[in-house]
Amino acid sequence: MVVLPPVNIFVVLLASISQMLLGMAWYSQTLFGKPWMKLMGFTQKEMQQDAASMKSTYTSMFVGIFLQASVLAVLLERLAISSFADAWILALLLWLGFVAVTQLSAALFAKQAFSFHLFTINTSYQLFGLVLMASIIQAF
């Protein structure tokens, strides 16, 4: 029987909130929001209209990020990762093997032309997010 190590829910929650805050900054008008909107075919007006109905989307996203942070915490503990460098390598490997490949498949099979720029914006956010969460979990 496989026994999963306990995780510190407070740390997982902190890592999850940090990932959400990173997403807010990443997709802001200051960083990558403008090119992302253009590549997605969204207008500023559409984004403002959708903002009011985004509560359930952000809630679902947070649940997914919380699950991701929980799994990352289990892996860090289970693999006895003891340094930030090793935690970052694990985050990079998880991103490369699972996130980047999955997002590439989704982008290639989407009913729109593949955009390397859009793929880079989205997948690099996921990479930085995993590294951020691994750093926070490893710190505690």
Side-chain angles (χ1 to χ4, degrees), residues 12-70:
V12 169
L13 187 61
L14 180 62
S16 302
I17 291 168
S18 298
Q19 169 82 334
M20 291 289 290
L21 293 173
L22 175 66
M24 289 171 61
W26 198 267
Y27 291 100
S28 71
Q29 296 298 308
T30 306
L31 290 179
F32 303 107
K34 288 179 186 176
W36 179 83
M37 281 187 349
K38 183 177 180 182
L39 292 164
M40 292 294 293
F42 297 141
T43 65
Q44 185 69 31
K45 185 177 180 181
E46 288 173 327
M47 295 298 288
Q48 289 171 343
Q49 289 172 342
D50 289 346
S53 64
M54 294 297 283
K55 183 179 179 182
S56 64
T57 301
Y58 284 121
T59 301
S60 298
M61 189 170 140
F62 184 79
V63 169
I65 289 171
F66 185 83
L67 178 60
Q68 188 179 48
S70 298

Side-chain angles (χ1 to χ4, degrees), residues 5-9 12-13 15-16 63-77 133 137:
V7 297
N8 184 329
I9 296 299
V12 169
L13 187 61
S16 302
V63 169
I65 289 171
F66 185 83
L67 178 60
Q68 188 179 48
S70 298
V71 170
L72 184 56
V74 167
L75 288 172
L76 287 166
E77 180 66 30
M133 289 193 301
I137 294 165

